Amino acid sequence: MVTIWVWAPVSLILFGVSAACTASAWEIYRLRRHGVRTTAQVSGFRSTTDADSDPRHRVLVIFCLPDGTEVEAESLTSKPDGSNGFARGDSMDIVYDPAKPTRIHVTRFEGHRVRGTDAAAYAICAATAALFAALALAQAFTG
């Protein structure tokens, strides 16, 4: 029989990962739902790697707020293969957070966004991990 020393840490790790993914999905969903749509100019690109060392390519843009203030921002979303089809100076549609205009989402990446169903899946995983942790603790205290 598997002991609490195995179930509890595994459950907590699954819960933490699921909670982080759910928070990220919610942030993008909220930005897409309540953000302001505008047109921006591509000013550059940033290549990074994710937690699995897979390449991620984010777009840097410049756009103006309604009051004329110029904002430079980096997309929250990215494409893994780098085939975003943009060049410096290209125009693109974005959604920005009016409370924090440097938080943007490139609408062209909508096919690569986290969907509501993904967020629900993360929440179910988190609930399952919490259930496993509760069962492990119950087993430890009841013998």
Side-chain angles (χ1 to χ4, degrees):
M1 184 166 239
V2 180
T3 67
I4 189 172
W5 303 112
V6 174
W7 281 111
V10 168
S11 298
L12 291 173
I13 290 168
L14 286 173
F15 179 77
V17 168
S18 297
C21 290
T22 302
S24 175
W26 179 255
E27 179 180 6
I28 292 171
Y29 170 78
R30 190 183 70 74
L31 179 59
R32 289 185 60 244
R33 178 90 178 190
H34 302 289
V36 176
R37 293 188 180 268
T38 191
T39 302
Q41 295 267 155
V42 176
S43 63
F45 305 92
R46 181 186 297 195
S47 296
T48 60
T49 56
D50 63 13
D52 297 329
S53 298
D54 295 326
R56 303 302 298 184
H57 306 284
R58 296 178 186 256
V59 178
L60 305 172
V61 299
I62 297 174
F63 62 98
C64 289
L65 299 176
D67 67 1
T69 305
E70 191 173 86
V71 176
E72 186 170 10
E74 178 179 328
S75 63
L76 290 174
T77 50
S78 60
K79 286 188 74 174
D81 60 3
S83 64
N84 57 34
F86 294 117
R88 274 196 175 98
D90 284 352
S91 292
M92 65 167 35
D93 293 327
I94 64 165
V95 179
Y96 70 89
D97 183 348
K100 186 176 180 186
T102 57
R103 290 177 23 143
I104 67 163
H105 170 69
V106 177
T107 58
R108 185 165 177 182
F109 295 163
E110 304 239 315
H112 301 277
R113 72 189 186 287
V114 179
R115 296 180 185 94
T117 54
D118 294 336
Y122 295 139
I124 290 168
C125 288
T128 303
L131 176 64
F132 275 120
L135 291 173
L137 290 172
Q139 179 186 5
F141 290 111
T142 59

